[in-house]
Amino acid sequence: MSPKISVIIPVYNTESTLHKCVDSILNQSYEDWELLLIDDGSKDHSAFICDEYAQQDKRIKVFHKENGGVSSARNIGIDNAEGKWITFIDSDDWVERNYLSNLYQNDENDIVASYYVAEGWKEWVSAPFKDYVYNEKQMKEFLTDCLLKFIFPYGKLFRHSIIKRYNLRFDESLSYGEDTLFIYQFLQYIKSVRISSEVTYHYICYGIGLSKQNFSWRIYWDILEKLLKAIHNLEHIFKWDGKEICNETVMLIIKRYIYYISSIHSIPYIRKELISILKSSVIKEAIEGVKVRSWKGKFINWLMLHDYLWISAILLYLKKRKS
């Protein structure tokens, strides 16, 4: 008999955190699950740890593969999952004992979501969700209220039949934002959502990340184009106006890129990049159209439109150097 829930954990060089992560699954109050550990070519003892767990519990399956990134690992998990529901957990995170029981309460909704505790950077606990179920007639309301909060795959339960029927996969060509894109594509096929105010997922945050990789604006632009396309599809399917969400998505990507380049590149490079970015009509329309309440946000947008944003980037650059 197939398990109710498939838990997919990509594993890559996380021997120091893997025990705590897997043990948090073994200690779940809800026991009808299978655990798929996808060893993505780990060079430490992670692969050995995975095999040890598989020998201890028949519900655990291990798959070893050459290193290909988190998306390829998650896709291997999807291909081999047997559960009616799928949840994704990172191997350096952990979940509380009622994680699965909180997410799975019935088979009525297509996706269930809760929020998380962020630890290790600026530690905080946030629960922006209220206990609520959005039915098929309330999808416009859901997209407006929650879409920008649905950017991470963890803390969620996905109906496996939808993933299988529409052959949904994580985009392995992307190095950033592939998890958000997967969720937005999944949402195109749903009819109901349940959100929970319970916070049972512990996300271990190591800061902004990406600093060890040389990401160009082309990479950010690629994911931005795909995210905007997915949002436009949601607009068409649910007869919903997503213009404001599109603008906010553009701004999120821009700010992420500005922070990134200001932390590793020279001031002349920063200015050159920003001048080039602001030539895009999509970018300018988003800056002009996004609704900003704070005076700081309005000032930053003014700097963008008047080609002075590089001043803010310099401040970030100097702050990073000082720290």
Side-chain angles (χ1 to χ4, degrees):
M1 185 175 179
S2 298
K4 183 69 71 172
I5 300 174
S6 294
V7 181
I8 297 175
I9 302 181
V11 178
Y12 180 70
N13 292 349
T14 52
E15 62 180 6
S16 63
T17 60
L18 189 55
H19 282 293
K20 185 172 184 178
C21 177
V22 177
D23 286 345
S24 71
I25 300 300
L26 292 173
N27 292 329
Q28 288 296 295
S29 59
Y30 184 86
E31 298 181 344
D32 190 7
W33 50 262
E34 66 170 353
L35 174 58
L36 285 71
L37 297 172
I38 317 300
D39 168 38
D40 189 31
S42 295
K43 298 178 181 179
D44 62 2
H45 292 92
S46 295
F48 176 75
I49 295 172
C50 290
D51 290 336
E52 277 192 321
Y53 274 111
Q55 293 175 3
Q56 297 172 16
D57 195 310
K58 63 181 181 180
R59 295 173 297 177
I60 299 177
K61 303 175 183 177
V62 179
F63 300 85
H64 298 285
K65 61 184 286 295
E66 293 184 1
N67 180 249
V70 65
S71 290
S72 65
R74 286 172 177 158
N75 288 338
I76 291 291
I78 289 174
D79 291 338
N80 291 277
E82 298 181 0
K84 189 171 184 177
W85 299 91
I86 289 178
T87 187
F88 300 97
I89 297 176
D90 288 346
S91 59
D92 47 3
D93 298 338
W94 62 281
V95 295
E96 295 186 12
R97 179 172 170 78
N98 64 330
Y99 175 72
L100 293 178
S101 62
N102 176 59
L103 289 177
Y104 179 72
Q105 295 182 8
N106 55 58
D107 290 316
E108 296 178 2
N109 308 114
D110 294 323
I111 183 172
V112 182
S114 61
Y115 223 54
Y116 57 90
V117 181
E119 300 178 351
W121 183 31
K122 295 180 180 179
E123 187 168 331
W124 49 267
V125 179
S126 181
F129 295 148
K130 295 181 179 180
D131 294 312
Y132 196 79
V133 174
Y134 292 89
N135 60 36
E136 189 172 5
K137 295 181 180 179
Q138 296 173 302
M139 292 310 298
K140 292 181 182 179
E141 182 182 352
F142 160 72
L143 293 171
T144 300
D145 293 345
C146 301
L147 188 59
L148 290 179
K149 299 174 184 176
F150 270 58
I151 60 176
F152 300 117
Y154 42 75
K156 295 177 179 62
L157 204 60
F158 299 86
R159 187 182 292 276
H160 189 185
S161 61
I162 291 179
I163 295 175
K164 187 174 182 179
R165 183 182 308 130
Y166 299 102
N167 194 32
L168 299 178
R169 293 293 183 273
F170 288 86
D171 191 331
E172 297 179 25
S173 70
L174 298 176
S175 303
Y176 166 64
E178 71 287 342
D179 42 6
T180 304
L181 181 61
F182 174 85
I183 296 170
Y184 284 9
Q185 291 173 336
F186 180 90
L187 294 178
Q188 296 175 22
Y189 306 105
I190 68 171
K191 294 184 178 180
S192 63
V193 183
R194 182 174 71 83
I195 57 176
S196 168
S197 62
E198 291 289 325
V199 181
T200 57
Y201 189 104
H202 291 256
Y203 168 66
I204 309 304
C205 183
Y206 298 104
I208 192 169
L210 309 181
S211 59
K212 295 182 180 179
Q213 304 184 55
N214 187 17
F215 282 2
S216 67
W217 172 246
R218 179 70 253 176
I219 292 175
Y220 283 79
W221 178 254
D222 187 21
I223 179 56
L224 178 57
E225 283 188 316
K226 292 183 178 181
L227 287 176
L228 292 178
K229 181 180 179 181
I231 295 173
H232 291 323
N233 287 341
L234 291 171
E235 286 185 297
H236 175 73
I237 293 168
F238 296 106
K239 311 302 179 185
W240 163 69
D241 182 4
K243 183 62 176 178
E244 185 174 344
I245 300 298
C246 286
N247 290 338
E248 292 188 38
T249 300
V250 171
M251 297 303 297
L252 286 172
I253 297 295
I254 292 176
K255 291 176 181 178
R256 179 72 181 238
Y257 183 65
I258 291 171
Y259 191 96
Y260 164 67
I261 62 175
S262 67
S263 68
I264 64 172
H265 288 294
S266 66
I267 292 174
Y269 179 90
I270 295 169
R271 187 180 185 190
K272 180 181 177 181
E273 281 292 284
L274 294 175
I275 290 174
S276 176
I277 291 170
L278 292 171
K279 291 179 181 179
S280 167
S281 60
V282 173
I283 302 300
K284 284 189 174 182
E285 288 177 8
I287 296 172
E288 293 172 344
V290 71
K291 294 181 180 179
V292 181
R293 296 180 179 179
S294 70
W295 69 267
K296 289 183 180 179
K298 292 179 181 179
F299 180 63
I300 290 175
N301 287 359
W302 184 89
L303 288 173
M304 285 186 181
L305 291 172
H306 292 81
D307 195 19
Y308 291 119
L309 184 60
W310 58 276
I311 297 175
S312 298
I314 290 173
L315 295 177
L316 285 170
Y317 174 83
L318 295 175
K319 181 179 179 182
K320 183 71 175 181
R321 294 260 311 205
K322 186 176 180 181
S323 61

